[in-house]
Each structure stands twice: as structure tokens, then as C-alpha cells.
Amino acid sequence: MIAAVTWFSDPAHWSGQNGVPYRLFQHVGISLVSVLIAMAIALPLGLYIGHTRRGQAFAVNLANVGRAIPSLAAIAIVVPFTQALDPGPGFNLYPTVIAMIVLAIPPILVNTYAGVSGVDADLVESARAMGMTERQVLTRVEVPVAIPIIVGGIRSASVQVIATATLGAIYGLGALGGFIVEGVAQNDDGQLFAGVLLVALLALLAEGGLALVQRRLAAPIAARAT
Amino acid sequence: MIDWGWIGDHLGAIAGRLGQHLELTVIALAVGFALSLGLAILSARVRPVRSIVIGIAGIVFTIPSLALFSALVPIIGLSLLTVEVPLVLYTLVIYVRNIVAGLDSVPPDVIEAADGMGYTANGRLARVELPLAVPLMIAGLRLASVSTIGLVTISGILGQSFGGLGFFIFERPTFATEILVGAVGSIALAISADVFLGRLQRRLTPWARAMDTQAGAAT
């Protein structure tokens, strides 16, 4: 731990492409892009399945398979293909992003459809009885009620992605995993622990931030229910 | 792209690595379960322990596995323990949560009825609460085995003595055939374990089938 403090206090570690700010930016960027793409796929699918209750078995199986795939294997399996298409980023960027999307889809998908399909049936019926269209039932009743659960899925996906994106460093993707892989290779414990601290800190920050969003979004529903 | 000759020449090595993968996984799952059962029972009985355990569990998951394997090397050297300590630690997080949730899921009426029948606290735990927690425990075993299989793949970072099928991913990062053997093998192993334990789960708890679609949503 002291080694990490010494490492952090060296100004050379705070500049350039191997410095803390650049790699932190890389890590946040890759995680953000992966989670956003996963959301673009999983949210509409989860809303459709949750609202229509069609294809629940499909979603469960897809989520189980997605959860079962080892993250390093998910990165490694695409390396030979993307590298053949595009030697540079195909080796060090695309494999990690693709694997992180695969990793982030299951929690978002499961929470979205479980949240929407778990909305009180009486509530949905009365919304229909009031003359709401299916679209209105979804956007004005189901989504607002389910939103804390949906955000919960995004939250666990983000934490997983931030912690796992470190694996990309094995294939030369810098980001925060770079400090860990280089720390190991160079027997530099300070750099290794600095990398661990940065990743854990970023993950906890995402966890805390999204937990806050989750509570904010849940509050008005709880207030109205009482 | 795939060098089938290499695969043919290395079938023995592949089988050996598969065996290693299973061995490392099973040790972690067994040791982790024994420890978790103790921790979970303690957490269910003593409230402060529970918040500490759940708190630590949340933090362990934010530590990148790649780092946990490597960080132990300067401290305890390179041995079976260097692989198993992180593996067990990650299984604890999953098991304890599931066992505690299982114990929590026992309806208060059932506990009251058991007390009324004259069970002691320990007798009630062994004969009533733990059996009722079995479905969630098996769900925990399923999650833990899939996660452990994936982590064994990553343990290949520790060099050629470990890694199971992950060894092939690390040995030569530019040789497509070897990478694919390691990656496809790991994925196939994890998915088989998931499917097998999923079947076992359904076989042992047929009444839970209706709840199956709701399971797994994290709040």
C-alpha cells in the first residue's frame, strides 16, 4: 500500500498516454460506450418482453448463457476475428468492447423485463380501463413503477464492466488494467496496487452514483403510494 | 484460420488442462461452501456480523480478479493457495448472499410453528430453516460455479502452472488456434455447468418453476 502511495506521488505517472488521467479517461470511455450499447439492445428488448410477456423463456436463457460466458474467454474468442479484419484496434480495442457489451446485457435485460412484468396487474388493468393505449400503459405506468429496478440492472452491469474491462490490458488495451498488467510484468507492486485502487474506486463511485439515482427515482413512487 | 493439426497433436495437453480446470474449480466451490455456511448462519443470527459480511462482499466484487491473483504473489508466493484464495473469496460473496437470502425467505409462520413444536434454535436451523433454504443455495452454487470457471481461466496470468484451459489463451496471444481452444473450451465448460446445475435446481425444487422467470433480478 505504501508502495502505491509512492507510485502516486511521482509526477511522471500523471502525464502522457501511460499516465493516470489518460488511462482513467480511457477506462471510463470504454465502460460508458459498452454500457450504452448494451442498454440500446437490452432496454427495448426487456420492455417488449416485460410488457407483452412474450419470449420470457428466451430472455431467461439468453441471460443465463450471457452470464455463464467467462469474460476473458469472451474477449479472447473475438481476438482472432477482429484482428483479421483490422489489425490494430481489432487486437486491442474491439475485443474488449464486444465482450463488455455481452457482459452488460444480461443484468439490464433481466431487470428490465422482471421490473416491468412485476408491475401490479390491477394497476395495469386500471390504466387500460382509463383508456390508455398500450404505449401509454408502458411509458406512463409500467416504466415509472419499474424504473428503480431497471436502474438497478444498469448499476450492476456498470460495476461489472468497470471491474472486468481491466482484462483488456492483456491484449494491449491500456486503460486502468494497464497498470495491473505492467505492474505484474515489471514486478512493480506500487504500480499494481495503484491500478487496483483506481479500478475499485471507479467501480465504487459508479455503484454509489447509480444507487443515488435509483433512490431519487424510487422516492416519488414511494411518496405517492403512502 | 484454425490449425487442426495443432489441436490433433495436443489432445493430451487439452484433456490435462480440462482436468486442471475442473480440479481448481471444485476445490474452490467446496471450501467456499463450507466457509459460507458458517458465515451465513452467523450473519442470520447476529445482525452486526451480517452488515459487515454484506459490506465486504460488495467491495470484493469491485477488485479486478486479474489484480487479486497477481497481488497475492509477492505476499504468499506462487502455490495452489495463490489461485485458491481469490477463487474462494469470490465464491464466498455469491454463496453468503444466497444462503442468507435463503434463510430470510423462510416464512415467519413456519418458524413460529417449529418453535411451537418444541424445536431448539439449533434443531430448528438444521431441520427447518436450512432445508427450506436449499433452493436458493443451489441457485448460489450455480452462480458460483459459473463464476469460478471463468476466474480459473483468468488464473492463467499466474504462469503455466495454472489457468486450466485459460493457459492456452495466455501462452501465445497471437496464435489464433490456441486462443480459440482456450476460449471455446472455457465457454463450453461454463455453459455446460450452468445447464447441468440449472436442471438439478429444477429437479430438486419443482415447486419453484413458476418463480423461475422472476429469479435473478438484482435490486
Side-chain angles (χ1 to χ4, degrees), chain A residues 24-47:
Chain A
L24 188 66
F25 173 74
Q26 256 187 327
H27 205 100
V28 171
I30 286 159
S31 307
L32 205 62
V33 167
S34 309
V35 172
L36 286 177
I37 296 176
M39 281 166 67
I41 298 167
L43 286 178
L45 200 59
L47 291 178

Side-chain angles (χ1 to χ4, degrees), chain B:
Chain B
M1 178 180 252
I2 293 180
D3 179 354
W4 294 103
W6 184 90
I7 297 181
D9 292 342
H10 292 78
L11 284 179
I14 295 171
R17 288 292 172 177
L18 176 65
Q20 184 188 36
H21 210 121
L22 287 171
E23 191 187 328
L24 293 173
T25 303
V26 169
I27 295 174
L29 289 177
V31 175
F33 186 76
L35 292 176
S36 308
L37 202 57
L39 272 177
I41 291 171
L42 204 63
S43 313
R45 289 275 180 274
V46 191
R47 285 281 143 173
V49 174
R50 181 197 180 113
S51 23
I52 295 171
V53 168
I54 301 281
I56 292 177
I59 293 174
V60 169
F61 251 136
T62 65
I63 305 177
S65 44
L66 191 63
L68 202 52
F69 285 122
S70 328
L72 281 175
V73 179
I75 303 169
I76 62 174
L78 194 61
S79 69
L80 186 62
L81 272 184
T82 331
V83 183
E84 289 296 343
V85 169
L87 291 181
V88 168
L89 207 57
Y90 285 115
T91 65
L92 288 183
V93 178
I94 299 170
Y95 279 142
V96 170
R97 271 190 198 164
N98 273 270
I99 301 174
V100 168
L103 292 175
D104 279 352
S105 73
V106 178
D109 295 350
V110 172
I111 292 179
E112 217 167 293
D115 287 340
M117 285 168 70
Y119 275 110
T120 60
N122 288 335
R124 192 187 72 198
L125 181 71
R127 304 254 178 96
V128 180
E129 290 171 270
L130 285 177
L132 285 173
V134 164
L136 274 163
M137 284 190 209
I138 295 180
L141 175 67
R142 186 176 170 193
L143 287 176
S145 39
V146 167
S147 133
T148 307
I149 290 171
L151 289 166
V152 170
T153 305
I154 297 171
S155 76
I157 185 93
L158 291 174
Q160 45 183 316
S161 327
F162 305 104
L165 293 165
F167 162 77
F168 298 115
I169 294 179
F170 284 96
E171 201 189 20
R172 273 181 291 170
T174 47
F175 181 37
T177 304
E178 206 174 338
I179 294 181
L180 289 177
V181 165
V184 173
S186 305
I187 293 173
L189 190 59
I191 291 180
S192 320
D194 187 62
V195 169
F196 173 74
L197 289 167
R199 291 231 173 108
L200 186 72
Q201 195 180 356
R202 247 162 285 153
R203 175 79 51 96
L204 290 178
T205 57
W207 63 88
R209 204 163 299 172
M211 294 150 52
D212 216 31
T213 51
Q214 296 288 333
T219 48

Side-chain angles (χ1 to χ4, degrees), chain A residues 30-187:
Chain A
I30 286 159
S31 307
L32 205 62
V33 167
S34 309
V35 172
L36 286 177
I37 296 176
M39 281 166 67
I41 298 167
L43 286 178
L45 200 59
L47 291 178
Y48 174 81
I49 294 169
H51 180 73
T52 61
R53 319 239 161 167
R54 252 179 248 161
Q56 293 197 39
F58 166 76
V60 172
N61 288 329
L62 186 75
N64 280 341
V65 170
R67 246 191 310 226
I69 294 176
S71 37
L72 176 59
I75 299 176
I77 201 171
V78 288
V79 168
F81 301 100
T82 49
Q83 198 186 6
L85 294 174
D86 190 352
F91 183 71
N92 54 35
L93 177 63
Y94 300 147
T96 306
V97 172
I98 292 171
M100 292 309 106
I101 296 169
V102 171
L103 185 73
I105 287 176
I108 302 176
L109 177 65
V110 169
N111 273 40
T112 304
Y113 99 81
V116 170
S117 67
V119 174
D120 193 347
D122 292 345
L123 200 61
V124 176
E125 272 318 299
S126 37
R128 284 204 182 103
M130 282 168 68
M132 283 193 188
T133 62
E134 286 307 305
R135 178 176 288 269
Q136 286 171 326
V137 170
L138 182 68
T139 56
R140 298 200 191 160
V141 179
E142 289 175 324
V143 170
V145 173
I147 198 85
I149 301 179
I150 297 174
V151 176
I154 297 171
R155 178 178 132 197
S156 41
S158 309
V159 174
Q160 278 181 49
V161 165
I162 289 171
T164 317
T166 48
L167 292 175
I170 294 170
Y171 292 99
L173 174 83
L176 295 177
F179 296 127
I180 296 170
V181 169
E182 285 158 26
V184 174
Q186 300 160 12
N187 253 326

